[in-house]
Amino acid sequence: MLFLMMIFGAVFGSFCGVLNSRAGSKESAFSGRSRCDSCQKKLKAWQLVPIFSFLFLRGRCAFCGEFIPKVNLLFELCGVVFGALAWVRVFGEFSEFGGFFSGEIFRALVLCMMLNLLFTLSVIDWRFSAVPQSVLLFVFGFSLLFGGEVKWAFVFVGAFFVLKMCVSAWLCRSRSGETLESMGEADVVVFGLFGAVFGASGVVAVFVAALVQLVFHVAFRKRELPFVPALCVAFLVVLFFEKEVAGFLNLDILEKFISF
């Protein structure tokens, strides 16, 4: 069953590659069949098999011979990894399986799709400093299905939305007529995802995201960097190492303080 989950991850990762390639254009990922970006010819079924089609075609289009973007292969490989990670996170180890119709299978599928879409949001945000709202809302919905902490999801969204307003007002206090945004809407929604999945412990992911963003700034030496990639890295880290990270950051007292 783990193998099937990895296949599902590769297929969904391939779809996420289409989302990434069509980001920034007016074309929807659901409009028509997949086609070559160079010659625009529609691809046949055997040319759409994740990973294997790329390897069999040696990374070139079967019609025009142009190179297929390697980022598409990256999305499919990451999908395989996310499928395996979702299985391990839900079932605890590779051997446990409760049946094809168990609720845990549904949670594993939801988590797999959520990880793939978070990776897609990170790539798109890195490219354009903006993300598609439809994908963002799907991720938030998946987080509610997987985590179920609806109360904390909206607590986090509300708290960080108010924080965004306060910081923006402070930055704009001496600049009449100019509107500054200190935090994007996408960031606020991902904070809500932290609450939906981790509950009160989502504060741990917030601290980790801040640390990851600091590392990104030092590594890339850019004045402005999108925050969604750091948030997604933090989500993945806390998803698997929540207790270890909380202990390292010594956040036990803070978690007890905010819980109710």
Side-chain angles (χ1 to χ4, degrees), residues 99-111:
F100 283 98
F101 300 101
S102 66
E104 296 304 301
I105 287 292
F106 175 75
R107 295 186 70 243
L109 291 173
V110 168
L111 180 58

Side-chain angles (χ1 to χ4, degrees), residues 9 11 13 16 29 82 92 98 101 110 162 166 188 191 211 221 230 241 246 252-253 260:
V11 173
C16 289
F82 292 144
F101 300 101
V110 168
V162 172
C166 293
V188 175
F191 282 130
L211 294 176
R221 299 184 180 277
F241 306 104
D252 293 338
I253 297 178
F260 57 86

Side-chain angles (χ1 to χ4, degrees), residues 167-195:
V167 174
S168 296
W170 173 261
L171 293 176
C172 294
R173 69 189 188 283
S174 60
R175 303 187 184 187
S176 58
E178 182 178 359
T179 301
L180 299 177
E181 291 293 340
S182 62
M183 186 186 304
E185 294 179 0
D187 304 335
V188 175
V189 176
V190 177
F191 282 130
L193 181 150
F194 288 170

Side-chain angles (χ1 to χ4, degrees), residues 120-131 186-187 226-229:
T120 306
L121 288 175
S122 298
V123 175
I124 295 175
D125 197 30
W126 192 271
R127 293 172 59 199
F128 302 105
S129 295
V131 297
D187 304 335
F227 197 26
V228 170

Side-chain angles (χ1 to χ4, degrees), residues 15-16 18-30 75 117-140 185-187 189-190 228:
F15 168 73
C16 289
V18 176
L19 288 176
N20 173 66
S21 65
R22 297 185 182 181
S25 66
K26 297 181 179 180
E27 187 177 10
S28 170
F30 300 95
F75 271 91
L117 289 176
L118 281 173
F119 176 69
T120 306
L121 288 175
S122 298
V123 175
I124 295 175
D125 197 30
W126 192 271
R127 293 172 59 199
F128 302 105
S129 295
V131 297
Q133 291 185 350
S134 57
V135 178
L136 190 65
L137 291 176
F138 269 110
V139 171
F140 185 68
E185 294 179 0
D187 304 335
V189 176
V190 177
V228 170

Side-chain angles (χ1 to χ4, degrees), residues 202-222:
V203 69
V204 179
V206 174
F207 274 83
V208 174
L211 294 176
V212 173
Q213 185 73 351
L214 179 61
V215 172
F216 283 172
H217 273 288
V218 173
F220 296 98
R221 299 184 180 277
K222 293 175 62 176

Side-chain angles (χ1 to χ4, degrees), residues 59-162:
R60 292 178 178 268
C61 173
F63 301 107
C64 64
E66 287 293 324
F67 284 104
I68 302 172
K70 294 181 180 178
V71 68
N72 295 346
L73 178 63
L74 175 63
F75 271 91
E76 294 169 0
L77 291 173
C78 288
V80 173
V81 174
F82 292 144
L85 290 177
W87 180 270
V88 173
R89 176 61 177 80
V90 172
F91 293 99
E93 59 183 49
F94 290 97
S95 59
E96 294 186 13
F97 177 49
F100 283 98
F101 300 101
S102 66
E104 296 304 301
I105 287 292
F106 175 75
R107 295 186 70 243
L109 291 173
V110 168
L111 180 58
C112 177
M113 291 187 289
M114 185 166 59
L115 293 176
N116 274 285
L117 289 176
L118 281 173
F119 176 69
T120 306
L121 288 175
S122 298
V123 175
I124 295 175
D125 197 30
W126 192 271
R127 293 172 59 199
F128 302 105
S129 295
V131 297
Q133 291 185 350
S134 57
V135 178
L136 190 65
L137 291 176
F138 269 110
V139 171
F140 185 68
F142 285 149
S143 72
L144 294 176
L145 289 174
F146 177 78
E149 295 284 353
V150 178
K151 174 185 70 176
W152 279 108
F154 289 99
V155 166
F156 272 64
V157 169
F160 283 99
F161 181 76
V162 172

